[in-house]
Structures are given as structure tokens and as C-alpha cells.
Amino acid sequence: MSVPVLIALGLLGLVGGVGITAVGPGGVLPTIGLFALTGLTPAEVAGTAVVTHVATGALASAAYTRSGQLREPRTRRTALVLAVSAVAGTPLGVMVNSYVSKRMFGLVLGVFVATVAGLVWFRERRGTATSRAHPTTAVVAGLGFAVAVAAGIVGIGGPMLTVPLLVALGVPVLESLASAQAQSVVIAGVGTLGYVAHGAVDWPLAVLVGVPELAGVLLGWRIAHALPTRHLKYALITTLFALAPYLALHG
């Protein structure tokens, strides 16, 4: 693998880490890089990507606990429901991955990327006001299960889908970000066990992507608390919409 490709993967890890804690969906960027820039199989892409989310999810959870969001009873309850549903959903996603061809993997990833970009764009168009109605436990559990299945298939963390979906349901942004980090730890942990059992983890690449991703997580957490993230969100939306067709046709 060439030096420029290795550098690109490291940069995608850094930017993806920023996206995880600043806006949520950015964590898909390392998965995109591993799929588009390497010769890994779909299982190896998902397995290598999901390993990186173990540490990033734990670090992000600690950060949002420190800033108080994960100490709030409602946020902790949402996080717990998401985490429990992930225990059931993630193994199903890992199992489904073994039946997915490289072409189908790219198509599924492209659809996920476009869907997330659309959700983030929709939320920005609606503005920053949130509904006072909080989703029920059943809704959160169903959302968490569906996200965990998707995450298990393509090796993404929970925040990619969970954050925009929760925000669209009226949950405040910081509460959504905090809840999704706790869910991500479970998805990544369970997913890692599944992919390690199948021998589908490239550990050197996981380290190459994961270490910059950790640095990005801390930077993104600071951005989420200190700066308006509107421009970052629109940059992410543009990037994801641009990448979706390429991913869908790549393979």
C-alpha cells in the first residue's frame, strides 16, 4: 500500500473522529476510506472500521460524561435503551455481512451515506428548534436495533445514523450525541468480537486509522461545545452526497 494512501487513511480517521463528536455522522469517513482505498474484503472493511470505534466510543462517552450530558437521567435512559438494543442488533448485522458481495457492500454503504446526508440536511433546513416531545422507549429501542444491524453490516459506529435520527425526532443535539456515543461502545465491542472470530480485522490499518480518530474525537467534542457547527454540517452533507454515487458504483 502506497504512502499517499496510508496518509489519506490517517487523515480520514482524524476528520472522522471530529465528525463523531461534533455532528455524529462523520464517523463513516474511515469506513469509506478503507473500502475505497484498500483491497480489503467487505468483512475486513467492516471489521477493521468497527474496531476503531471501541476506543472512540469510550473516549467520547467519557467526554460527554465530563461535560454533563451523560449525567442527565433522560440522556442516560436513552443511552441505556440504545445500548441494550445494540446487543441484539449488532450480531445480526455481522452475520448478514458474510453474505454481502463487494458490489453490494458499496451499494449499501452508498445508500446509508446518502440517507444520512439527507437527514442532516433536513434537520438543518428545519432549524435548531426541537420538539418538546421525547420519543418513547419503544421508538428508541426500535431505532437502536435498526441502527445496530446497519452498523454491524458496514462497520460504522452508532452516531452516524443515531444522531440525525434522534435529532429528527426532536431530541436535543448534545443529548443525541452523548446517547449515541454510549451505544457506539456496545456496537463496536460486540461487532469486534464477531469480526475477530471470523479473522476479518486488519490490525495495522485499525491502528493507523484509530489513533488519529481518537485525537479527532477530542477535537470534535470541543467544537460541539464551543463553536457553531452549521458550516461543518454543510461541509459533511456536501461530502457525503458527493461520495454516495461513487460508493454505490465502486466494487
Side-chain angles (χ1 to χ4, degrees):
M1 199 172 298
S2 68
V3 172
V5 169
L6 296 177
I7 293 174
L9 289 172
L11 289 175
L12 285 171
L14 176 65
V15 177
V18 171
I20 287 172
T21 43
V23 294
V28 70
L29 294 176
T31 304
I32 291 173
L34 289 168
F35 176 68
L37 301 178
T38 72
L40 299 180
T41 66
E44 289 169 337
V45 170
T48 303
V50 82
V51 164
T52 69
H53 295 303
V54 175
T56 58
L59 181 60
S61 296
Y64 277 104
T65 298
R66 180 179 178 181
S67 57
Q69 282 75 36
L70 276 176
R71 293 195 182 101
E72 297 174 3
R74 191 171 71 171
T75 307
R76 289 168 63 181
R77 182 170 61 251
T78 300
L80 178 61
V81 173
L82 289 171
V84 171
S85 61
V87 174
T90 307
L92 179 59
V94 173
M95 181 179 69
V96 170
N97 175 277
S98 62
Y99 298 99
V100 175
S101 66
K102 187 172 183 179
R103 185 173 184 82
M104 181 59 67
F105 185 90
L107 179 60
V108 171
L109 186 58
V111 169
F112 284 162
V113 165
T115 299
V116 169
L119 285 169
V120 177
W121 175 82
F122 174 73
R123 178 57 192 167
E124 285 302 296
R125 290 297 299 269
R126 283 184 59 189
T128 57
T130 58
S131 168
R132 290 184 177 275
H134 197 272
T136 65
T137 298
V139 170
V140 174
L143 182 153
F145 178 81
V147 168
V149 173
I153 294 173
V154 297
I156 59 175
M160 176 186 169
L161 292 171
T162 300
V163 172
L165 287 171
L166 286 178
V167 170
L169 290 171
V171 179
V173 174
L174 287 179
E175 181 179 335
S176 299
L177 285 164
S179 301
Q181 308 311 326
Q183 177 201 28
S184 188
V185 175
V186 178
I187 290 174
V190 175
T192 294
L193 291 175
Y195 283 110
V196 167
H198 288 88
V201 176
D202 187 312
W203 292 104
L205 286 181
V207 172
L208 175 69
V209 172
V211 172
E213 199 172 2
L214 282 173
V217 162
L218 289 176
L219 180 58
W221 171 69
R222 290 188 176 277
I223 290 173
H225 286 82
L227 299 172
T229 58
R230 187 179 185 85
H231 294 303
L232 181 60
K233 289 177 183 177
Y234 277 120
L236 180 64
I237 291 168
T238 301
T239 300
L240 294 181
F241 271 136
L243 286 171
Y246 169 77
L247 293 169
L249 297 174
H250 185 78

